[in-house]
Structure formats: structure tokens, C-alpha cells
Amino acid sequence: MDNISEQRACIKFCFKIGKNATETFELIKLAFGDITLSRCVTFDWFKRFKEGRISIEDDHCPGRPSTSKTIDTINLVRDKIRYDRRSTVGELANEVGISIGTCHSILSDELGMKRVSAKSMPKLLTKEQMEHRVEVCLDLKNRVSNDSSFIKSIITGDETWVYGYDPETKFQSSQWKTSNSPRPKKCRQVRSNIKAILIVFFYFYDLVRYEFVHTDQTVNQVFYKQVLERLKEKVPRKRPEAWKSKSWFLHHDNEPAHFALSVSEFLTSKNIPVVPHPPYSLDLALCDFFLFPRLKSTLKGHRFEDVNETIHNATQELKAITIEEIQRCFKKWQDRWEHCIEAEGHYFEGDPFK
């Protein structure tokens, strides 16, 4: 029972025991203090109970019947919003000849729509690129269906910058406040010039190899081939069974250094098969949608004095990533193949999974 209903019940009780309206109001005011109903309202409810009313609830009020939210109006709003999805509620209301409140109700309640900002994407994909994304996902999905151990035989890797200072995200800097307290503020800040390149490779059960490269080194095809040489030497120790059976695959994205002719020739000469990856597809690269965001999320907002401290803290966070997280990442990768196929090759970040 809410506070108002409770006071009405007390008014009814006072009437039943023979109190008059003035005495009832004084008793209610004594019991409820600052939240007491007004004298006028108290006297009105006392009168109602005196006239024989039993219920302490408000009378049902059906309201004014709707004359603008009709089937024809709803269909008209649907047609106009499909023609121009950037139309504002005010513009739609003026065109259809209804109130803004009714228009908003039709959009949200009847059509189940809400206004969202466009999400930035790496590239506007061509039809051929979208078809290629679907083909790659179908191929990977079929390979997993035919060989359940295929996903566990993949070693994936990439490189990224780690910074001495990387600003917090909006979510990380958010904090609780009351309605009366001022909104928290922060200065606009940029990434630090102190930075290093992290190159990392991992598979279904663990990290295979990682290394940090200082800023004076460019990750070109010559250097990347050296990185792959060091990776090849590491595999026998991290994955001896896969090394003996020659059953491991390399997965990396389409950076120029990764797919340079000299790198491809090196991989062919060493009998290292490469898992296909479609161009402009960060949403299908395990490092980009899982490892690097996971690594950097805890580093953001912290300021490190030099490159060595930056590398030390990045290494600690990298080692803190658990096997369970990595395995969930590979499962999510397979889910993303499905979603890419469902989206017919379009970018699907931010879209709900079916």
C-alpha cells in the first residue's frame, strides 16, 4: 500500500469511529507530518466515506479515446520512416498531422523502433568483399564440422601499439552521482608518445610467443619474416604434438607485411599453411575483437614513466589472461562466422545475434 492509500484508509477509520473531518485532518497530520494530504483532499475523502463509499482506490479513468493512433496512421508513419530513416519525430508528426507524443508512441510502442547513431566501420565494403567474407566464414565453418580439432590447431597473431598513457574510455571514467551533485568532468587527453609495438601469437590453450618492438623498428615484410622464424622455433616447445604431426595452421590478418610475397614464399617453404582471412575484417580477427581490447582495458588511464615500465605492465596484463578467456574467444570466433553469414557479409558489430 502506498502512502496516499494508507492515509485514505486512516481517514476511513476515523470516520468509522465517529471523528469529524477537522479531527480527522489533525490526526492525519500528526501521524504523517510533512507528507500529509492537504486539508481540502482530506475533507473530500471524508465526505466520500460519509456518503457511503467503501473503496480507498481512485476511480477508473478511461481517458480520452485516441483519435490519431489508428491503423492508417501507424502505416503512414511506417512508410515515411522507411523512406527517410533520419527523419525526426517532429518532422514525422508534422507530415502525418499528429502530435509529437503520439508519433513517438507509434515509433516506440507500435513499431518497436528507437533512434541510434551510425557505428563507424573500417570500410564501406563492396559486394565482392562481402561475398568473400561469407565464403571464408563458410569454409572455416565446414572445416570445423569435418574436423573438430581444426580450431585447436590454429595459431593466430597480430601486432598492436601499447602506450605509456592511453586515456580512459567513457565507461571507465563514469561514476555514480545524485540528482543534485555536479556532473564529473575530465580534461581531454591524448595518448602518450611513450609506446612500443607488441607482437603476440596464441592458440586454443595458451600464449605461444610474444615480443615487444621499440618504435625505431618498422614491422615490414623483412622483419615480419624474422618474427615468423622465431615463432617457428617456439612451436616445438609449446606445441610438440602439432609440430611432429605438422598439423598446425597460422592465422593472421591482411596487413601488407603479412601477405608480402617474400613472407608467403617463406611460409610455403616451411610447410606452414595459412588460414584464410578476408580483407578489412577486424570483426573476424581474434586479436582485434578479443585479445587487444582485453589487454588494453586494464592499462587505460594508467600513466607509465618510460617504455620499460610500459612493457612490464603490458606483459603482466598479457600473462593474466586465462585459458578460459582464450577458449571463450575461439568459441566467439565461430559465433562470428555464423553472424557474418547471416548478415550476408555486412559488418555486424552492434547488431543483435539471432
Side-chain angles (χ1 to χ4, degrees):
M1 182 183 295
D2 59 28
N3 179 268
I4 294 177
S5 297
E6 188 178 355
Q7 293 190 53
R8 291 173 184 172
C10 292
I11 295 171
K12 183 178 180 181
F13 174 77
C14 290
F15 165 72
K16 289 286 189 180
I17 63 173
K19 300 293 183 181
N20 59 35
T22 301
E23 292 172 332
T24 298
F25 176 68
E26 294 299 327
L27 290 172
I28 296 295
K29 187 166 63 173
L30 179 63
F32 292 91
D34 294 338
I35 58 174
T36 304
L37 296 174
S38 69
R39 181 184 181 90
C40 180
V41 172
T42 302
F43 273 54
D44 178 62
W45 275 96
F46 188 91
K47 181 182 177 183
R48 295 185 191 188
F49 295 130
K50 187 175 181 180
E51 292 173 350
R53 184 185 179 94
I54 297 176
S55 174
I56 62 173
E57 302 297 329
D58 286 316
D59 294 330
H60 176 66
C61 182
R64 181 179 177 180
S66 175
T67 57
S68 55
K69 192 192 290 188
T70 63
I71 298 297
D72 292 338
T73 305
I74 293 171
N75 291 335
L76 184 57
V77 171
R78 179 188 289 111
D79 292 340
K80 288 189 175 295
I81 202 67
R82 284 179 175 173
Y83 177 74
D84 183 5
R85 292 183 178 271
R86 294 194 175 189
S87 299
T88 65
V89 177
E91 291 169 345
L92 284 171
N94 289 334
E95 291 182 25
V96 179
I98 57 178
S99 69
I100 291 178
T102 300
C103 185
H104 191 277
S105 175
I106 290 174
L107 289 169
S108 58
D109 300 336
E110 306 298 332
L111 303 181
M113 303 183 77
K114 62 180 181 180
R115 194 175 181 93
V116 296
S117 301
K119 185 176 180 65
S120 297
M121 293 299 171
K123 181 180 171 61
L124 292 177
L125 298 172
T126 64
K127 182 180 179 181
E128 291 75 18
Q129 289 167 340
M130 289 188 287
E131 289 174 350
H132 183 48
R133 279 164 56 88
V134 173
E135 290 171 2
V136 170
C137 290
L138 284 171
D139 176 56
L140 294 173
K141 180 182 174 183
N142 291 334
R143 293 173 76 171
V144 171
S145 298
N146 297 329
D147 181 9
S148 59
S149 64
F150 170 69
I151 198 74
K152 300 177 183 178
S153 63
I154 297 172
I155 296 177
T156 184
D158 201 355
E159 59 271 353
T160 188
W161 288 104
V162 288
Y163 294 89
Y165 178 78
D166 201 357
E168 293 177 317
T169 63
K170 284 187 175 180
F171 177 78
Q172 288 175 316
S173 62
S174 62
Q175 54 184 276
W176 293 103
K177 64 178 287 296
T178 65
S179 57
N180 297 324
S181 59
R183 182 172 181 169
K185 302 174 181 64
K186 65 176 184 179
C187 297
R188 185 183 297 275
Q189 297 182 350
V190 296
R191 290 168 172 166
S192 169
N193 289 329
I194 299 172
K195 57 184 179 180
I197 300 173
L198 166 64
I199 304 176
V200 61
F201 294 90
F202 66 100
Y203 77 118
F204 193 78
Y205 291 108
D206 201 0
L207 298 176
V208 178
R209 175 178 171 77
Y210 64 89
E211 60 182 274
F212 289 90
V213 183
H214 289 276
T215 55
D216 55 350
Q217 173 63 59
T218 303
V219 182
N220 52 28
Q221 57 181 302
V222 176
F223 180 77
Y224 189 64
K225 190 162 67 171
Q226 297 170 2
V227 170
L228 293 178
E229 282 276 15
R230 292 189 286 272
L231 173 66
K232 186 173 71 69
E233 294 172 359
K234 190 76 172 180
V235 172
R237 285 174 287 179
K238 296 293 290 189
R239 302 199 55 199
E241 294 180 2
W243 175 259
K244 290 178 182 178
S245 62
K246 297 183 179 180
S247 60
W248 67 281
F249 299 82
L250 176 66
H251 174 263
H252 52 196
D253 62 19
N254 297 80
E255 289 293 324
H258 298 176
F259 275 80
L261 179 59
S262 62
V263 173
S264 299
E265 290 175 345
F266 168 80
L267 293 172
T268 302
S269 67
K270 301 301 180 181
N271 295 319
I272 302 174
V274 178
V275 175
H277 183 82
Y280 311 110
S281 297
L282 301 181
D283 53 345
L284 298 174
L286 293 93
C287 287
D288 289 306
F289 73 75
F290 162 70
L291 188 72
F292 296 154
R294 163 67 178 81
L295 169 69
K296 296 179 181 182
S297 63
T298 49
L299 297 175
K300 286 180 179 291
H302 296 280
R303 194 176 297 276
F304 308 118
E305 295 298 326
D306 52 34
V307 171
N308 292 332
E309 188 180 356
T310 302
I311 292 174
H312 171 75
N313 283 276
T315 302
Q316 294 299 109
E317 294 300 330
L318 190 62
K319 291 180 177 179
I321 298 174
T322 64
I323 294 175
E324 290 75 16
E325 289 179 285
I326 293 175
Q327 292 179 353
R328 283 197 299 271
C329 158
F330 276 89
K331 176 61 172 65
K332 187 178 293 185
W333 191 28
Q334 297 176 69
D335 294 338
R336 285 171 176 255
W337 301 342
E338 294 280 0
H339 202 49
C340 183
I341 295 167
E342 292 174 3
E344 299 180 347
H346 289 276
Y347 290 125
F348 51 83
E349 292 285 358
D351 296 339
F353 280 82
K354 294 181 180 179

